[in-house]
Amino acid sequence: MSFNVAIDGPAGAGKSTIAKAVAKKLNYIYVDTGAMYRAMALYMLREQVNPGQPDKVSEKCEQADITIAYENGQQVVYLNGENVNPYLRTEEVGNMASAISTFPRVRAKLVELQKSLAAKSDCIMDGRDIGTCVLPNAQVKVYLTASSLVRAKRRYDELTAKGEVCDLAKIQADIEERDYRDMHREHSPLCQAEDAVLVDSSDMSIDEVITAILGLCEKRQ
Ligand code: DC
């Protein structure tokens, strides 16, 4: 049986940075489920589907073939045969991903892909519903969070380092809006699984969080 580590938490909590580092240390694959929702969102944006049209979202969702490959140790997301990794990390795609992830048809399709990856390989998977829904039997479950201000500051620093002009208060407001939507949707809302360990990284360094999660994995192996 494969060993599965589930990491859930709100946007900007550092899940992907931490999960990637833990995967490398343990020689597991890292499955970024947010990237799958983002690929679906990119498809909807390209097809000019409005998330206010549920029937259209469900219909178009069937036409989006999303697959995952690992190239040089990196997860690559293919949308209808095209490597879409370069287009996934924009705010527009992130907001659309949050909106379309509320639809059960979208979730069912991507959850199936996620479960099949985890059944085949030892993996660390991050997202919003991994411990509660996708991998309820994961050997290690972590709920990784940080205050919205800390998360907004991290995003602000990332963007300004790239030379982008941005507004901290606006970033924080967007993060809080996304949290609200992810936590209050009807299907698989973001919440801490009963058996997940809460890690609040507001006052922790990346290395401290990685060490804490590796410690949890060691205990369960
Ligand atoms: O982690 P991220 O920012 O790349 O995720 C983008 C959106 O996708 C997020 O706002 C909600 C959705 N998502 C989800 O509903 N379930 C997951 N397992 C992962 C992401």
Side-chain angles (χ1 to χ4, degrees):
M1 202 172 89
S2 54
F3 192 96
N4 296 156
V5 182
I7 304 201
D8 290 300
K15 298 185 299 293
S16 64
T17 307
I18 305 291
K20 262 184 216 157
V22 172
K24 202 165 174 198
K25 287 257 183 206
L26 297 175
N27 206 18
Y28 288 3
I29 60 166
Y30 162 53
V31 183
D32 172 0
T33 63
M36 301 176 190
Y37 288 93
R38 284 171 182 266
M40 184 64 85
L42 179 69
Y43 184 70
M44 299 294 170
L45 285 166
R46 285 177 173 177
E47 294 290 311
Q48 300 182 337
V49 176
N50 181 329
Q53 304 166 285
D55 290 348
K56 199 87 189 145
V57 174
S58 297
E59 180 201 321
K60 286 285 172 188
C61 157
E62 301 307 325
Q63 296 166 11
D65 180 38
I66 295 173
T67 53
I68 297 295
Y70 286 87
E71 295 172 12
N72 303 319
Q74 297 262 13
Q75 172 180 294
V76 180
V77 185
Y78 285 90
L79 168 63
N80 294 333
E82 175 193 357
N83 172 353
V84 288
N85 273 22
Y87 313 112
L88 301 182
R89 308 301 326 165
T90 66
E91 294 301 305
E92 187 190 22
V93 170
N95 287 327
M96 183 66 154
S98 174
I100 54 113
S101 64
T102 58
F103 291 93
R105 287 274 275 279
V106 170
R107 302 205 70 80
K109 185 164 178 161
L110 298 181
V111 167
E112 192 186 318
L113 171 61
Q114 293 154 14
K115 281 181 189 266
S116 74
L117 286 166
K120 278 189 279 202
S121 318
D122 293 333
C123 75
I124 177 158
M125 183 178 289
D126 76 355
R128 304 292 189 286
D129 60 338
I130 311 304
T132 51
C133 173
V134 181
L135 304 177
N137 299 320
Q139 287 84 346
V140 174
K141 294 185 188 178
V142 174
Y143 188 84
L144 181 64
T145 190
S147 73
S148 64
L149 180 60
V150 166
R151 289 184 282 135
K153 277 196 180 132
R154 289 176 186 161
R155 183 79 186 129
Y156 176 88
D157 290 345
E158 244 173 60
L159 292 171
T160 47
K162 282 196 238 160
E164 288 183 35
V165 178
C166 51
D167 173 25
L168 180 62
K170 161 98 176 62
I171 295 176
Q172 187 177 0
D174 281 352
I175 282 184
E176 287 174 358
E177 192 186 323
R178 179 112 77 95
D179 287 356
Y180 186 87
R181 206 163 39 210
D182 292 349
M183 288 172 181
H184 292 88
R185 66 185 179 212
E186 188 185 348
H187 303 283
S188 313
L190 168 64
C191 68
Q192 184 180 341
E194 270 178 23
D195 49 351
V197 176
L198 175 69
V199 177
D200 184 332
S201 72
S202 302
D203 298 312
M204 291 170 85
S205 68
I206 292 177
D207 281 346
E208 285 171 332
V209 178
I210 294 169
T211 305
I213 296 178
L214 286 172
L216 293 172
C217 295
E218 241 167 56
K219 269 198 220 153
R220 301 303 305 266
Q221 270 167 339

